[in-house]
Amino acid sequence: MWPGEEVARVFTIGELSRRTGLPVKTIRFYSDKGLLPPTDRTRAGYRLYDAQALAKLELVRTLRELGIGLAEISALLEHTTSIPELAAAHVKVLDEQIRVLRLRRSVLRAVLKRKSEPDEVKLMNKLASMSDEERKRLVDEFWDEVTEGLDVDTEFYDRMRQAKPELPDDPTPEQLEAWIEFAELVQDADFRRSIRAMGEQQAALRGRHGGTTDALSKAQSEHWREWSERAQAALDSDVSPDSAQGRALADEIVAASLEEGQSDTPKLRRSLADRIAQGSDRRAERYWQLLAIINGWPPIPTRVPAALWIVDALRASAR
């Protein structure tokens, strides 16, 4: 029996309206839809409802206030679903609606901050509304394109592609702006060509070394952080790349990068400089800086100026 049942008591639609506060028109609509079939009728044909119908009407009103549709309420009343099942389904829907509303709020905040034009607002809203899966697929498609058909270091590239943008449900304007910039970056044809060129260079070197990593790549893996910090310190102190300090660092990099039987020549130094320059695309660094903002990682400082200082030091030492 329904809560609040009053045995042997029947009500007209007008009485149900007074008891529940619902308009007569609404109750009649629910009744016509089969949600609230009359218990009986008067001789004049007026509908009568018992206490169970009253309790059922209260339930229908509550579910409607929660945004649940008539078809779902009908299924519940016909016992083809349960209240917990119905609640679980609607929690999921509401969570998604809340996520979308939060994103829209973040878009509007970003629009205010950037003073965006209409076309940019449209693009921002489209990118912000992408699902987690769509964002991850965008990254996978990027790495698929820039490595397709290349014999590259799969372990290295697997690490690259595993880092995915994880935009929070309620992103800050900075996170949203970073995601929009990131999405535009990975779809930029020139950036894709640049990253693929790096892969092609690595594949060519691996081909010449029997599928293994060459000496410069190994040396960079082991010493690049130290070399970069020394170059940045020189930059901060306004030390020129063609100084004795620059020459000393260049000599150290060359010594660590020589293959067995290879000689140190000006041509080799220029070649090493060209390779480091190609790998110092500011946009590649920006890719990781944007991911850090989106995912809430510690900020990634820029190291491109230090890398270019090293490039200039190598070229100066080749004269």
Side-chain angles (χ1 to χ4, degrees), residues 68 101 164 174 178 242 265 267:
I68 296 174
L101 287 173
K164 299 290 201 306
E174 291 74 21
D242 61 1
T265 65
K267 181 179 179 181

Side-chain angles (χ1 to χ4, degrees), residues 50-63:
D50 61 13
Q52 186 174 1
L54 172 62
K56 189 182 294 185
L57 180 59
E58 293 282 6
L59 175 63
V60 171
R61 179 175 66 174
T62 300
L63 294 175

Side-chain angles (χ1 to χ4, degrees), residues 143-197:
W143 288 109
D144 286 344
E145 180 177 323
V146 301
T147 61
E148 184 181 7
L150 300 179
D151 176 23
V152 293
D153 183 341
T154 54
E155 183 179 345
F156 171 79
Y157 277 93
D158 282 347
R159 290 199 303 272
M160 297 299 101
R161 70 162 64 229
Q162 282 171 7
K164 299 290 201 306
E166 303 282 353
L167 194 66
D169 287 340
D170 189 13
T172 64
E174 291 74 21
Q175 285 176 308
L176 184 64
E177 287 186 66
W179 158 244
I180 291 168
E181 184 182 343
F182 180 89
E184 292 172 338
L185 180 63
V186 297
Q187 294 177 91
D188 183 83
D190 185 60
F191 178 61
R192 290 190 175 209
R193 282 192 294 269
S194 174
I195 300 301
R196 182 168 179 84

Side-chain angles (χ1 to χ4, degrees), residues 275-304:
R275 282 185 55 190
I276 294 173
Q278 186 180 33
S280 301
D281 189 325
R282 291 179 185 272
R283 294 169 300 178
E285 182 176 71
R286 185 61 178 161
Y287 176 102
W288 294 103
Q289 290 172 334
L290 291 170
L291 266 184
I293 296 171
I294 295 166
N295 293 347
W297 299 341
I300 296 177
T302 181
R303 297 191 181 276
V304 169

